[in-house]
Amino acid sequence: MFVTRFAPSPTGGLHKGHAFSAMLAHDAARAAGGRFLLRIEDTDFTRCRTEHEVAILEDLAWLGLTRDGPVRRQSQHRADYDAALAQLREMGVLYRCFRTRKELMALAGVAPQAGDPIDARAFAGGPPDPADEAERLAAGQPFAWRLSLSAAAAHLGGFDHLDWIEEGEDPGRHTARPEALGDMVLGRKDIGAGYVIASVIDDAAQGVSHVIRGVDLVETTSVQRVLQALLGLPTPVYRHHRLLLAPDGKRLSKRDRAETLAALRDRGVTPADLRQELFG
Ligand code: GLU
């Protein structure tokens, strides 16, 4: 059975890029006689808002994209993600990270005041030494749980045998290369288990056969493939699609306040206009 999903985070209004992704997933499900699921990825309660979730449902209805089955909200499944984190911890592939962003940037050789948007994730700096860790734990310092790629590689006998079938922009068999993102945070100091692990658990729980999403998540797929191997979960087929660009050539993003679907609707754009623009 062909099962795919649209999995937005309710952190702002959806824009054309989301509409493109949702339409691709919906149309693929319909063409295959399969299912199109909606999953609300709201693990990050510091950024997610109910009003954005309500708007997402309105936007999808406006676009004419009918979903199958109930909406799944990640905030209602925290216990499952925590259980997976506990399982990984017992396998010895996670470590505590007490470092602040500033410390991580210093480790990476970047001055934090320079405002450089460098992604500090790839410079996790490895596990703390045991004495230091014990001291910090005793002092009640908050910490994140990171995936140790070296421990995961030892556990799995390397990553070269981990692959997935890609049907998107760069089709073929892809081998997992999780090193690009380094030892990623799977459990955050503030929210606990986050998107990277929640999404893997949910794709398996919902029987997702095809993950259709933007090519900006292709590196994350490598890490998610490692998690599937560690947790004994199936690997879906992936279709990473191109990203839509704003007139200035930058990719559309909520952060840069790309025009929302609600705003398009208000100025009289119809779903048919949008389909024409996006799919020609
Ligand atoms: N929640 C993610 C986002 O909005 C999508 C993740 C996915 O499709 O796997 O970017």
Side-chain angles (χ1 to χ4, degrees):
M1 172 73 136
F2 185 107
V3 181
T4 191
R5 80 305 192 272
F6 177 53
S9 298
T11 54
L14 299 186
H15 53 63
K16 271 185 210 169
H18 296 106
F20 183 57
S21 206
M23 284 173 173
L24 280 174
H26 167 272
D27 295 358
R30 295 292 165 257
R35 291 165 63 77
F36 171 66
L37 310 177
L38 175 63
R39 183 163 83 219
I40 300 293
E41 300 212 315
D42 57 352
T43 52
D44 186 350
F45 54 75
T46 66
R47 296 172 61 223
C48 294
R49 301 271 176 276
T50 312
E51 70 249 33
H52 295 313
E53 184 186 322
V54 171
I56 287 169
L57 298 177
E58 277 171 17
D59 287 342
L60 292 180
W62 175 68
L63 290 168
L65 306 181
T66 49
R67 65 172 184 273
D68 299 301
V71 179
R72 181 177 172 100
R73 287 181 189 81
Q74 292 190 324
S75 52
Q76 293 170 348
H77 298 273
R78 285 190 185 285
D80 297 343
Y81 316 139
D82 289 341
L85 270 186
Q87 196 181 332
L88 295 173
R89 215 153 57 221
E90 275 157 31
M91 291 165 76
V93 297
L94 301 187
Y95 63 85
R96 293 185 180 88
C97 176
F98 293 89
R99 296 191 171 93
T100 60
R101 183 167 172 82
K102 202 166 147 192
E103 286 168 327
L104 289 169
M105 294 186 88
L107 262 182
V110 180
Q113 64 271 26
D116 193 315
I118 185 166
D119 195 335
R121 287 176 302 184
F123 305 95
D129 78 59
D132 184 43
E133 180 173 23
E135 222 170 85
R136 287 175 188 264
L137 272 179
Q141 260 193 38
F143 58 84
W145 286 106
R146 285 185 185 269
L147 175 65
S148 163
L149 286 183
S150 57
H155 193 90
L156 296 168
F159 302 130
D160 286 350
H161 61 296
L162 301 184
D163 50 20
W164 76 84
I165 296 171
E166 175 65 53
E167 293 183 349
E169 282 291 282
D170 181 17
R173 198 171 276 278
H174 283 229
T175 301
R177 298 271 176 251
E179 299 82 1
L181 291 179
D183 290 349
M184 275 189 107
V185 170
L186 299 184
R188 269 174 38 182
K189 288 178 186 173
D190 51 356
I191 65 165
Y195 151 72
V196 177
I197 193 160
S199 175
V200 163
I201 305 286
D202 283 358
D203 285 336
Q206 295 187 284
V208 169
S209 66
H210 288 70
V211 170
I212 300 174
R213 63 185 182 189
V215 76
D216 52 331
L217 286 167
V218 76
E219 284 184 333
T220 305
T221 304
S222 279
V223 179
Q224 293 185 322
R225 180 66 187 86
V226 170
L227 294 178
Q228 287 157 3
L230 290 168
L231 296 169
L233 301 174
T235 300
V237 171
Y238 289 84
R239 281 186 200 171
H240 289 98
H241 60 73
R242 70 184 170 88
L243 301 179
L244 299 188
L245 300 180
D248 62 2
K250 289 207 298 190
R251 72 178 220 231
L252 293 181
S253 82
K254 286 178 194 163
R255 246 173 260 247
D256 290 334
R257 301 182 192 287
E259 188 178 25
T260 61
L261 298 180
L264 286 176
R265 188 154 73 231
D266 286 349
R267 67 179 171 82
V269 175
T270 68
D273 297 335
L274 199 55
R275 265 198 185 270
Q276 177 62 28
E277 178 188 335
L278 299 177
F279 296 98

